[in-house]
């Protein structure tokens, strides 16, 4: 039996890259998918591609760093599909700059999206997730990065946000499992997505992976038997340059 059939999943940052791959994979697994993105038109485009008839998708505008926006996204998702079973905190941003030039505004923007966002989305989704998966409890998946395990120059805000996200995930796992809510971290290595390709024109794409591969790993995490959980998983290109 397909464990995701008739389940509702909300994916943030769903308008491109890994978020789009996640939405496509979950839809193919039979889930109803809420595609949330700060740019509504991007989410709408992906939703139309994977579900031309619009039967099992809903595209929403959502700024995950805004408490009001996070609450509204969860409200619309649960009202439209009658509940929420899965939350994938995927939305992310970065700024590549040295500490001396890094502005406070850019630091706050990265932290707001990458760390405050998963906190706000998880908090907003807590009540419907308690009732998720037929009353057994839903699942939160936080998309982290090898930047949560190893540091490189000119990315202090990104590293701080992703290390913090791992800490948040572990804390939520310990707190929410008694309520039936499972929490997992997916540490993704470099992917062939606009997140990297648009910023680093000379990047070696042979050392990057298809985001569809990471999406498949997330699907595996979500379909584990209820008595077990993949609390943390690392998915890397075979020739990953940032790990080990």
């Amino acid at each position: 039996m397909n464990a995701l059939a008739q389940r509702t999943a909300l994916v943030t940052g769903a308008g491109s890259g890994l978020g789009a791959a996640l939405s496509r994979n979950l839809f193919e697994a039979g889930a109803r998918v809420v595609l949330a993105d700060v740019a509504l038109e991007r989410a709408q485009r992906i939703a139309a591609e994977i579900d031309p008839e619009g039967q099992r998708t809903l595209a929403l505008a959502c700024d995950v760093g805004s408490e009001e926006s996070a609450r509204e996204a969860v409200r619309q998702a649960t009202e439209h599909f009658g509940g929420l079973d899965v939350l994938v905190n995927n939305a992310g941003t970065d700024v590549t700059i040295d500490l001396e030039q890094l502005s406070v505004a850019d630091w706050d923007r990265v932290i707001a999206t990458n760390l405050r966002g998963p906190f706000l989305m998880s908090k907003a989704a807590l009540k419907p997730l308690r009732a998720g998966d037929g009353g057994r409890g839903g699942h939160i998946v936080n998309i982290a990065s090898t930047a949560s395990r190893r540091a490189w120059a000119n990315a202090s805000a990104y590293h701080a946000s992703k290390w913090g996200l791992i800490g948040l995930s572990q804390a939520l796992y310990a707190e929410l499992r008694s309520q039936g809510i499972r929490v997992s971290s997916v540490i993704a290595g470099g992917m062939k997505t606009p997140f990297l390709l648009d910023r680093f024109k000379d990047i070696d794409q042979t050392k990057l992976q298809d985001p569809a591969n990471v999406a498949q790993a997330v699907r595996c995490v979500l379909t584990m038997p209820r008595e077990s959980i993949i609390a943390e998983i690392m998915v890397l290109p075979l020739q990953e340059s940032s790990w080990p």
Side-chain angles (χ1 to χ4, degrees):
M1 182 178 294
N2 192 332
L4 292 174
Q6 303 304 310
R7 303 299 185 211
T8 298
L10 192 163
V11 180
T12 66
S16 65
L18 177 58
L22 285 163
S23 299
R24 184 172 291 105
N25 191 299
L26 294 174
F27 181 84
E28 291 172 353
R32 297 176 290 243
V33 183
V34 180
L35 296 89
D37 199 279
V38 68
L40 176 59
E41 64 278 6
R42 290 200 305 240
Q44 290 172 328
R45 177 177 56 83
I46 299 300
E49 288 178 5
I50 65 177
D51 182 24
E53 297 182 359
Q55 298 298 307
R56 288 194 286 117
T57 58
L58 174 67
L60 299 175
C62 180
D63 175 0
V64 298
S66 162
E67 182 179 8
E68 180 180 357
S69 185
R71 285 179 175 175
E72 180 62 13
V74 171
R75 185 193 67 78
Q76 290 186 51
T78 54
E79 286 189 0
H80 188 82
F81 286 123
L84 186 64
D85 305 288
V86 175
L87 170 64
V88 183
N89 286 311
N90 166 74
T93 190
D94 188 15
V95 57
T96 305
I97 197 169
D98 63 87
L99 179 62
E100 188 172 13
Q101 300 299 317
L102 177 63
S103 69
V104 173
D106 276 340
W107 169 276
D108 288 345
R109 176 176 60 82
V110 173
I111 298 297
T113 300
N114 298 0
L115 184 55
R116 175 181 166 91
F119 158 70
L120 290 176
M121 293 299 300
S122 298
K123 186 175 178 64
L126 194 56
K127 184 176 180 179
L129 285 175
R130 286 195 187 105
D133 198 8
R136 297 183 297 176
H139 204 142
I140 298 171
V141 178
N142 292 317
I143 305 298
S145 163
T146 49
S148 67
R149 290 290 183 264
R150 185 180 182 188
W152 46 86
N154 302 326
S156 57
Y158 189 70
H159 284 298
S161 69
K162 291 300 185 179
W163 282 63
L165 182 57
I166 291 295
L168 175 64
S169 294
Q170 293 178 357
L172 294 183
Y173 169 75
E175 178 179 340
L176 300 180
R177 60 182 174 176
S178 64
Q179 303 174 39
I181 300 174
R182 299 186 288 177
V183 181
S184 301
S185 302
V186 176
I187 300 174
M191 291 174 283
K192 298 175 186 177
T193 64
F195 184 78
L196 288 179
L197 300 181
D198 288 354
R199 294 186 299 133
F200 304 106
K201 302 299 183 181
D202 297 327
I203 196 167
D204 183 356
Q205 294 192 37
T206 67
K207 295 184 177 180
L208 300 178
Q209 62 190 333
D210 189 326
N213 300 351
V214 179
Q216 184 62 29
V218 172
R219 181 169 167 177
C220 177
V221 167
L222 290 171
T223 53
M224 284 292 292
R226 288 291 309 186
E227 64 269 20
S228 297
I229 181 172
I230 299 176
E232 184 174 290
I233 186 172
M234 184 179 290
V235 189
L236 306 176
L238 185 61
Q239 303 298 332
E240 172 67 81
S241 60
S242 68
W243 189 270

